[in-house]
Amino acid sequence: MLRINQLQKRHIFFGLPLFFILWGVLAWDFASHNFKRDADTLIGREQLHAQDIAQDVADSFRRNLHLVAGVPATFQRGLRFVNAVAEFKSNEPSQLSKETLIKRWSAVPSLRDLNHQLELTQGKLGVDLLFVVNAAGDCISSSNWNKPTSSVGTNYADRQWFDAVRNGRHGMQYAMGRTTHIPGLYFASPILINGQFKGAIISKVDLPSLSFLTRQADIYVTDTNGVIILAHEPAMYMMTVPGASIDQLTTKQRSELYMKTDFDKLGINPWEELPDPRLKHIMHKSIPHVLGSAALPEYGLTVYSESDMTALPHLLRERQSNFILIWLLGSVAALIAAAMSIYFREVRESAKKIENSEDRLRSLLSSVSNGIWGLDNEGNTTFVNLAAANMLGYEPEELVGKPMHLTIHYAYADGTHYPKSECPMHATLVDGQSRIGVDEVLWRKDGSNFPVDYSSHPLMRQGKLEGAVVVFEDISERKLKDEALK
């Protein structure tokens, strides 16, 4: 009989390591499944948020550019504009110097009056520049005619918007200011006399005037060539996004449009820590991002919005914590089961084994830095580890038997009442579903509170819900670090 008991004990203890391994695999699979579900929900929500922001900013661009874009079309048939371009009979660019042209054309009454009208109109409409070109592309009148950066005498025949108006269409283009050296968006409408192209009127909005649109979020805007022309981070300015068509332009074209020929590429790569195509690693940033975009085809622009996935690293850490918790609970349960099996076979030895097993259990629970407590199906505390009691300012025996929600979870961080019906931990006792609480507070014995993340898991016995196990972590230090990092 003694030999049989020893063989049984040997089989039990030789089987425990295998059980721990198999239970570890199952625990990791369970923790990973919960993580994937929560991560997918989080990523989907953040991507939708990023898309909404991109669309909102794109709509703001439309509202701000609508007036500027409509100015040329409004004045293209104006008598002063028609008379001004009618002064020029030749379609060849002037060979005279800019200084000579400014002096000569400013002396022409119709052009001088037009200069004043453009200057006055530009101030009233809030655009940054208004100017008129003749059929050769020479600027003959401008709202900045009397400034050092005057556009008068400058030829624009090589611009894309000029090709459009020369063919009777409205034109639009991003370009660096030829005289102001300020980047902006140009809108042009042709001036026709008896159906023939004689010139164009152009309005411009300087990009710095639109920079406020990118400050409300992590926003950057690209032109039709994929070059970032506005960005919330100055370092992104003049970078190119993946798939940009800037390389299709000649060196001369790039120089004329952007006053530079070489462009750094914006690093947007998959986030390697989690194989999800929606997650991106952008530039030097350590946390993953999701992107949203909205096109403005009428202006040749695309708005991109970044959303920081600051909660995802926390979910990764939580997956590991959940795995450890599940594995510990399963392992402890296995140890208890082994001890009980021995108890029924050898009363004297089993008593000692059970005592040792309980000591190991208490040691395990005491060694865990997270707070752990158990609840019965009425929400009363059945057990609490030392870490939990210390964080809450109680002795463990003070909490046993007390209703958990009314003792430590009765109010939100601002002191307002936290209804028991809305408590995720209480909900686990109702429907037996595991839940996660993020950035909530627990209340200490002295009336102060501290922020925690927690998870609640049902305790089932023979298919019946008997209570729950709650594990929480004090995140005060992590929040301080996150705030410092921001």
Side-chain angles (χ1 to χ4, degrees), residues 23-33 316 319-320 323 326:
W23 180 247
V25 173
L26 291 174
W28 180 255
D29 182 70
F30 179 78
S32 296
H33 174 76
L316 285 170
R319 175 176 62 174
Q320 185 176 2
F323 161 69
I326 295 169

Side-chain angles (χ1 to χ4, degrees), residues 10 76 82 152 159 201 285 296 305 372:
R10 186 178 299 173
Q76 68 181 128
V82 172
V152 176
R159 290 289 171 91
I201 177 171
K285 301 174 182 177
L296 292 163
S305 172
I372 303 176

Side-chain angles (χ1 to χ4, degrees), residues 107-121:
V108 177
S110 61
L111 298 181
R112 183 174 60 250
D113 290 345
L114 186 57
N115 282 337
H116 292 293
Q117 181 183 356
L118 291 176
E119 183 179 12
L120 181 62
T121 303

Side-chain angles (χ1 to χ4, degrees), residues 257-320:
L257 279 180
Y258 306 102
M259 291 190 175
K260 61 182 299 184
T261 57
D262 297 321
F263 299 83
D264 293 329
K265 295 182 179 180
L266 178 65
I268 302 179
N269 301 300
W271 196 57
E272 297 179 353
E273 294 187 43
L274 186 65
D276 190 304
R278 295 171 294 179
L279 295 177
K280 304 296 182 183
H281 184 98
I282 300 178
M283 294 180 67
H284 57 277
K285 301 174 182 177
S286 59
I287 60 175
H289 290 72
V290 292
L291 292 175
S293 64
L296 292 163
E298 65 271 38
Y299 302 124
L301 305 176
T302 303
V303 178
Y304 293 89
S305 172
E306 300 175 4
S307 184
D308 300 344
M309 298 293 296
T310 54
L312 196 58
H314 165 72
L315 284 181
L316 285 170
R317 293 190 297 270
E318 189 174 78
R319 175 176 62 174
Q320 185 176 2

